[in-house]
Amino acid sequence: MHILLVASAFNSLTQRVLAELQDRGHTVGVALALGDDDALREAVRVHAPQLVVAPMLTTAIPEDIWSAHTCLIVHPGPPGDRGPSSLDWTLQGAAESWGVTVLEAVAEMDAGDVWAWSPLKLPPLAGKSDLYRGEVADAALDAVLLAVERFASGRHKPQKQEPEALAAGWRPFMKQEERRIDWTCDPTEAVLRKLRAADSQPGVLDELLGARWYLHGGHPEDELRGGRPGELIATRAGAICRATVDGAVWIAQLRPWREPGSRLPSYKLPAVEALDDLLPFEVPEVPAPLQLPAGRCTFSDIRYSEQGDVGVLNFSFPGGAMSTTQCRRLLEAYRFACTRPTSVLVLGGVRDFFSNGIHLNVIEAAEDPAEESWANIHAMNDLVEAVLTTTDRLTVSALGGNAAAGGVMLALAADEVWCRDGAVLNPHYKLMGLHGSEYWTYILPRRVGESEALRLTQSALPVSAKRAVELGMAERVLQAAPEELGAEVARLAAELAASPELADRIARKKAMREHDESVKPLQRYRDEELTHMRRNFFDAREPHAGLRSAFVRKEKALHTPPHVARLGLAD
Ligand code: COA
């Protein structure tokens, strides 16, 4: 079929729906609904789609479009649920199960006939965006694929929603008053629920150290105690720990509140960095042990564990962004992991983003963004180099979620890449005005060949997990729910470690690395890439700084980007 996706942004779910419909042989176009109905009408006219699917839409489709074409809307709630803050209310209300529905567009929001729906189990600890990219996206794909199949059959009659159910299901937009934390009486569990329901957007508005902030993140702490509820009691890895009436919670990031109309920027930063001089010097930094004792419940963004011959280095950074400090901490942990007597070392293996490369927000906030970019790309390169030059064991990158730019190259530096089904890879830098580094000029062609590497980096389009395997970018697609990923990765890694060919494989990879080094040393790849990157970062005529600024400030696109608008149309 020829399907047109209409979405408010080319976001993770839209990218996944696009990639998975393409995997199933459909031709798919994309039009962003950015408030210009005529532009949308024109896209519909040009595409003349058999079906319109809206994976993520915050505005209404004009009536003349939905009355002439079947338009299917993805709603992140089960049948009967309606309204713009569905996941927020659900997470704040501590439900255990939920669902995603595909409805036909009609005049009233979420009131159309139901074409398909899929249930989901809510994970105990994930925040809203993580849930959205994980269980919600999985359920959305199941429901969209079923709805498309039903529509294609020409025989399916969608189910009407009854007026009483529709009236009962409506829940309004969730305001900050409803998110507010009352530190004097909210127990830890309620504080965490409010934080998670607002993570990563819009955050919970609160006061701290005499200023107003949106709080982002939310992890329980089982040992640190003390202070008045709400008081800052510790820091760790850029996050802050605040006392509650019955315990404490960790908050990873802060975004400053601004007066309406203010021209001052407001974007998220690691909490300690956002507080800067406001942070009282007596608040202790309490590092987490890399190997957490069993049963401990605290915040740590890097963890190492071992089972027999397998080492697992878990890491998880908000938004998948990795600052200079985060890269250096991860490299230190990686070096430690390499001192351990294991034969297989797994990187990642947790839900949500694997990595999205250098930390654009931290860079934007730096006194000298070009210098900070330079430090960050070097720190990222050092990490990738350490993986590439590990020749005494087999390395595996296990992607629970998406990866982009340098984050993809970090994954591909390992000997094997395993992607959870539904992970989306964006192996390109172009949209950020960067040539790219992380040894991509070595890593990508050695897996997919020179011409495919060029196509992937120039087309700047997402690649599904299945397609990544077909292209040679990955070895396996893991059929596991986000919460089951760790166990599945551990099982497969143990199998790999027990394989009789392992010693041979390690010897072959060492020989291959030595051969590649003799043909062209890694340092040369790095130097060549960095020559371009230096210009990208430091030359005022380059577009990167402007693109970065727009990205961190979440400036809305004015039109569908040309490389996306061309999709699904004959050349
Ligand atoms: N630096 C800082 N923040 C980043 C980031 C980066 N490199 N990559 C993603 N994020 C943040 C986003 O701002 C967003 O924040 P929010 O939760 O406050 O909205 C969050 O991570 C999720 O990203 P989002 O863009 O909403 O997710 P997506 O799945 O729709 O799109 C990408 C993912 C990777 C395609 C997109 O985020 C992107 O282009 N990132 C930049 C990649 C890059 O160029 N890296 C630098 C070169 S190495």
Side-chain angles (χ1 to χ4, degrees):
M1 271 205 294
H2 183 67
I3 301 172
L4 179 65
L5 303 184
V6 173
S8 299
F10 193 47
N11 76 332
S12 54
L13 184 58
T14 310
Q15 295 190 10
R16 181 166 167 193
V17 172
L18 165 76
E20 296 208 18
L21 285 173
Q22 286 174 330
D23 284 350
R24 282 159 184 81
H26 300 289
T27 54
V28 191
V30 178
L32 297 190
L34 302 165
D36 179 352
D37 285 352
D38 285 339
L40 195 56
R41 287 187 184 99
E42 179 57 12
V44 172
R45 192 191 63 74
V46 168
H47 279 274
Q50 289 159 284
L51 178 67
V52 173
V53 175
M56 193 282 287
L57 198 59
T58 53
T59 53
I61 295 183
E63 182 169 351
D64 53 314
I65 296 183
W66 59 255
S67 48
H69 299 266
T70 301
C71 297
L72 302 182
I73 312 277
V74 175
H75 172 71
D81 176 80
R82 298 170 66 209
S85 299
S86 201
L87 290 178
D88 311 56
W89 289 113
T90 304
L91 285 176
Q92 196 143 306
E96 280 179 7
S97 55
W98 198 237
V100 176
T101 309
V102 175
L103 312 133
E104 192 158 331
V106 289
E108 203 181 335
M109 190 179 184
D110 304 331
D113 295 352
V114 174
W115 277 83
W117 83 281
S118 183
L120 63 95
K121 244 178 84 188
L122 289 166
L125 292 177
K128 182 175 59 171
S129 296
D130 177 352
L131 168 72
Y132 179 78
R133 290 184 287 261
E135 286 80 356
V136 168
D138 287 356
L141 258 296
D142 287 347
V144 165
L145 295 175
L146 181 59
V148 168
E149 214 179 287
R150 285 175 169 169
F151 177 82
S153 78
R155 289 187 306 273
H156 184 77
K157 233 181 126 28
Q159 239 181 350
K160 286 237 153 321
Q161 301 198 66
E162 297 307 327
E164 315 79 69
L166 284 175
W170 176 261
R171 286 186 290 184
F173 175 77
M174 187 183 271
K175 302 198 205 77
Q176 279 297 337
E177 294 105 87
E178 285 134 350
R179 301 185 187 273
R180 202 175 66 81
I181 295 171
D182 185 345
W183 293 96
T184 63
C185 65
D186 279 348
T188 304
E189 196 249 342
V191 173
L192 287 172
R193 266 194 279 124
K194 287 179 178 173
L195 287 169
R196 291 204 185 110
D199 191 39
S200 62
Q201 294 295 344
V204 174
L205 185 58
D206 194 25
E207 274 184 32
L208 180 64
L209 302 172
R212 297 183 84 191
W213 305 92
Y214 294 97
L215 314 179
H216 296 271
H219 304 266
E221 167 58 41
D222 57 1
E223 280 184 0
L224 292 170
R225 294 291 178 266
R228 275 177 295 102
E231 200 172 305
L232 229 166
I233 54 176
T235 68
R236 169 182 300 157
I240 52 173
C241 186
R242 294 178 73 179
T244 60
V245 282
D246 59 350
V249 296
W250 287 96
I251 292 160
Q253 300 187 99
L254 296 175
R255 181 165 65 88
W257 173 84
R258 302 290 186 213
E259 291 284 356
S262 162
R263 296 175 71 96
L264 289 170
S266 170
Y267 50 85
K268 276 184 241 170
L269 284 175
V272 168
E273 207 163 320
L275 289 174
D276 198 21
D277 289 350
L278 293 177
L279 185 72
F281 71 92
E282 65 275 12
V283 176
E285 157 98 25
V286 186
L290 195 52
Q291 291 167 283
L292 272 189
R296 271 232 57 196
C297 186
T298 187
F299 163 76
S300 66
D301 50 7
I302 304 175
R303 295 183 187 194
Y304 179 74
S305 59
E306 227 170 77
Q307 196 133 44
D309 284 341
V310 176
V312 179
L313 186 59
N314 295 145
F315 55 92
S316 173
F317 303 111
M322 293 168 60
S323 68
T324 307
T325 325
Q326 285 161 330
C327 290
R328 286 182 184 154
R329 285 198 292 110
L330 187 54
L331 176 57
E332 197 184 323
Y334 183 82
R335 286 196 175 128
F336 166 78
C338 286
T339 64
R340 302 292 306 158
T342 59
S343 54
V344 172
L345 175 54
V346 178
L347 306 178
V350 287
R351 50 180 301 142
D352 208 10
F353 286 123
F354 180 81
S355 166
N356 284 329
I358 57 176
H359 202 312
L360 299 171
N361 293 30
V362 168
I363 289 169
E364 184 71 13
E367 220 161 276
D368 186 337
E371 285 296 347
E372 182 52 38
S373 304
W374 195 240
N376 203 161
I377 200 66
H378 273 286
M380 196 71 195
N381 282 355
D382 291 344
L383 177 61
V384 176
E385 185 195 4
V387 180
L388 284 172
T389 55
T390 300
T391 50
D392 62 345
R393 67 199 74 205
L394 214 68
T395 52
V396 174
S397 292
L399 279 64
N402 303 348
V408 177
M409 304 312 154
L410 170 63
L412 270 57
D415 303 308
E416 292 206 4
V417 178
W418 302 347
C419 298
R420 195 180 84 79
D421 193 13
V424 175
L425 310 186
N426 275 287
H428 50 82
Y429 301 82
K430 198 177 156 186
L431 303 179
M432 212 49 74
L434 293 172
H435 169 79
S437 191
E438 291 101 356
Y439 302 91
W440 79 263
T441 51
Y442 170 64
I443 289 172
L444 205 52
R446 79 173 176 163
R447 274 182 165 268
V448 302
E450 289 286 349
S451 64
E452 186 59 38
L454 196 68
R455 199 194 62 76
L456 287 167
T457 46
Q458 290 307 307
S459 65
L461 289 168
V463 175
S464 71
K466 180 167 166 271
R467 185 79 190 120
V469 171
E470 287 165 5
L471 289 172
M473 287 170 68
E475 275 63 34
R476 274 175 192 272
V477 177
L478 306 180
Q479 303 293 340
E483 288 291 288
E484 288 155 12
L485 182 81
E488 179 64 357
V489 168
R491 188 183 69 75
L492 291 169
E495 257 178 44
L496 191 58
S499 114
E501 292 100 55
L502 187 72
D504 270 0
R505 276 193 71 183
I506 295 172
R508 276 205 309 276
K509 107 174 202 185
K510 186 168 187 289
M512 179 64 81
R513 174 84 284 283
E514 282 163 6
H515 169 265
D516 286 357
E517 188 67 18
S518 71
V519 174
K520 178 169 172 176
L522 281 179
Q523 188 62 43
R524 256 189 38 219
Y525 287 97
R526 181 168 173 150
D527 292 343
E528 286 167 9
E529 291 168 2
L530 288 178
T531 307
H532 296 279
M533 289 293 262
R534 195 164 177 87
R535 192 186 63 245
N536 296 154
F537 292 144
F538 287 91
D539 187 335
R541 289 164 300 184
E542 288 283 312
H544 171 66
L547 292 168
R548 184 188 63 227
S549 161
F551 178 81
V552 307
R553 290 171 174 75
K554 301 197 182 300
E555 282 172 17
K556 247 182 120 183
L558 298 175
H559 45 74
T560 310
H563 73 292
V564 175
R566 275 196 300 274
L567 285 167
L569 296 173
D571 288 332

